[in-house]
Amino acid sequence: VQLQASGGGLVPPGGSLRLSCIASMDSFSAYAVAWFRQEPGKEREFVAASSRSGGLSTPYADSVKGRFTISRDNAKNTVYLQMNSLKPEDTAVYYCAAGRRVIVSSLRRENAYDYWGQGTLVTVSS
């Protein structure tokens, strides 16, 4: 199983980016998916998640709520993170993750996920 994240880059404050993560597994809809991020010198933190199947449960970190949107296209084995109104403090390496046995109450937990992408760097700066 492989996850390939892309879409990072340099964007000015207030700008937007859309990250994509393409997964190689079969039955992608059976997996919960999530985005985490890590700033230099800090621990990786939860950003957003989408529960398996229809993604009815989509929790967000308080710091991104109302600005970021996670979505998934099960036919394309892809999860997206639309990031709007970006701030300098959003600068980080963003990782996508997938897990087959992630229950709703564990969607925010890093250790609930089995597979991780390589990360894509987002830099918010003028």
Side-chain angles (χ1 to χ4, degrees):
V1 173
Q2 289 187 329
L3 300 176
Q4 182 81 30
S6 62
L10 174 63
V11 61
S16 298
L17 276 178
R18 188 176 80 156
L19 305 183
S20 300
C21 177
I22 299 175
S24 66
M25 71 278 274
D26 294 331
S27 303
F28 178 71
S29 64
Y31 288 77
V33 290
W35 290 94
F36 290 77
R37 66 186 182 186
Q38 187 170 23
E39 299 174 59
K42 295 187 178 181
E43 293 187 352
R44 193 154 52 187
E45 64 175 7
F46 170 77
V47 175
S50 174
S51 59
R52 56 192 175 198
S53 299
L56 295 180
S57 181
T58 54
Y60 292 89
D62 288 344
S63 58
V64 307
K65 200 172 295 183
R67 299 188 297 122
F68 290 12
T69 302
I70 188 171
S71 60
R72 61 190 299 163
D73 185 338
N74 291 331
K76 295 182 178 179
N77 275 29
T78 302
V79 57
Y80 304 98
L81 185 68
Q82 178 66 43
M83 305 185 295
N84 299 328
S85 301
L86 282 161
K87 304 175 181 180
E89 51 264 42
D90 294 319
T91 295
V93 177
Y94 284 72
Y95 298 90
C96 55
R100 185 136 189 174
R101 288 172 290 275
V102 184
I103 59 177
V104 171
S105 60
S106 296
L107 284 170
R108 298 173 182 263
R109 292 173 50 189
E110 185 175 341
N111 62 6
Y113 295 88
D114 304 307
Y115 307 106
W116 291 83
Q118 84 287 3
T120 185
L121 176 63
V122 173
T123 303
V124 184
S125 175
S126 54

